Amino acid sequence: MSAQEPSQEWSAAAVLAELQVSGSQENRAGMARFGIDASSAFGVPMSVLRPLARRIGMSPQLADELWETGRHEARLLAILLTPPESLAPDRAMAWMEDIRSWDLCDQFANVLARRPGSDQLVPVLVADEREFVRRAGFALMAWRAVHAKTVPDTEFLNYLNLIRAQSTDERNFVWKAVHWALRQIGKRSAALHDPALDLSRQLCESQNKTSRRIGREAQKELSSEKVLTRLKKLPEP
């Protein structure tokens, strides 16, 4: 995506007009089937939003204007138009206050994870009782396991205690993010695989049904031949 500022045509109004003509009722219905609140949506898929974001170019100012519209795809675009370095903790937390959808949550965490120092937000988000804020904490864990390639594995070992502590949260959008984080940590490196797999097995033995479900999902993937083969190919640290 270009780092250039948007041209004059890309005002917030121009972007909304583009989204209006790109949406469809069929896509809105599809969003609803996937558990996305489509009440403020145009019905524009990510396959359209990503190329549009590249056409517009990075712009934190335009991103703020789009976010303030409250429209679903405008907020997805706002995330795509925001450089990771612009997601300072105060701005990140202000946006989190408005998120009520798993796709917004996960796209937001994907960008935030690329910002140095975003690990400091993980315990803050995970400790929050609100469903999508807590989900963002675990999504941030998962995405940092992918994007934060130069940080030491000790960061992710520390996350295992947070995963264990919140593994009893039965809310749909939370437990799915918890096992996502556990799986991504276990796939990050050979050194992290065994601790993550061990936690998965422990959760399988839990008295709590949500913990057992998370453990089973994570253990299945982390024990798979595909994951084990990939880990053997990773370079030594």
Side-chain angles (χ1 to χ4, degrees):
M1 190 182 299
S2 171
Q4 67 185 16
E5 286 299 309
S7 60
Q8 189 70 30
E9 66 179 297
W10 292 117
S11 62
V15 174
L16 290 177
E18 183 88 1
L19 294 174
Q20 181 74 55
V21 300
S22 300
S24 72
Q25 181 55 42
E26 180 181 1
N27 285 329
R28 281 169 50 87
M31 293 167 68
R33 285 196 299 272
F34 280 96
I36 298 169
D37 180 1
S39 59
S40 66
F42 293 103
V44 183
M46 288 301 296
S47 60
V48 172
L49 292 177
R50 290 190 185 280
L52 177 58
R54 288 193 291 269
R55 286 165 55 199
I56 295 171
M58 291 289 191
S59 175
Q61 179 179 346
L62 179 57
D64 280 335
E65 293 173 11
L66 291 173
W67 191 270
E68 289 303 314
T69 69
R71 300 303 298 260
H72 187 79
E73 291 90 346
R75 286 182 166 176
L76 283 170
L77 263 182
I79 292 168
L80 296 175
L81 298 179
T82 301
E85 60 271 18
S86 295
L87 274 179
D90 55 346
R91 187 182 194 193
M93 293 305 296
W95 280 18
M96 272 307 313
E97 294 286 332
D98 295 331
I99 291 178
R100 302 290 186 274
S101 173
W102 66 264
D103 61 332
L104 273 174
C105 180
D106 295 357
Q107 290 294 334
F108 170 81
N110 188 6
V111 174
L112 184 60
R114 301 166 193 262
R115 183 182 187 276
S118 62
D119 57 302
Q120 297 175 21
L121 284 177
V122 169
V124 176
L125 297 174
V126 166
D128 199 294
E129 291 290 337
R130 289 170 292 180
E131 184 172 12
F132 289 108
V133 179
R134 181 167 290 173
R135 179 185 176 92
F138 288 105
L140 182 56
M141 276 187 207
W143 282 121
R144 280 190 63 80
V146 174
H147 298 310
K149 297 184 184 300
T150 61
V151 304
D153 282 348
T154 50
E155 174 186 328
F156 301 94
L157 284 173
N158 292 333
Y159 293 155
L160 295 180
N161 287 330
L162 297 178
I163 289 172
R164 185 196 306 274
Q166 301 299 343
S167 68
T168 58
D169 192 325
E170 64 185 14
R171 290 175 293 181
N172 187 54
F173 294 118
V174 175
W175 80 262
K176 288 185 175 180
V178 173
H179 88 73
W180 175 23
L182 180 53
R183 290 184 292 111
Q184 289 303 128
I185 289 171
K187 293 187 292 183
R188 177 180 166 88
S189 70
L192 287 169
H193 178 262
D194 285 351
L197 182 57
D198 184 56
L199 176 55
S200 301
R201 289 168 174 159
Q202 292 176 36
L203 293 178
C204 286
E205 302 299 320
S206 172
Q207 297 299 308
N208 181 273
K209 66 178 182 180
T210 303
S211 295
R212 291 196 302 271
R213 189 175 190 182
I214 290 169
R216 286 195 304 269
E217 295 277 354
Q219 183 180 14
K220 180 179 179 181
E221 182 167 358
L222 295 178
S223 300
S224 69
E225 190 63 33
K226 180 179 179 181
V227 168
L228 296 176
T229 299
R230 175 183 168 277
L231 288 171
K232 288 177 183 178
K233 296 179 180 178
L234 292 178
E236 293 291 330

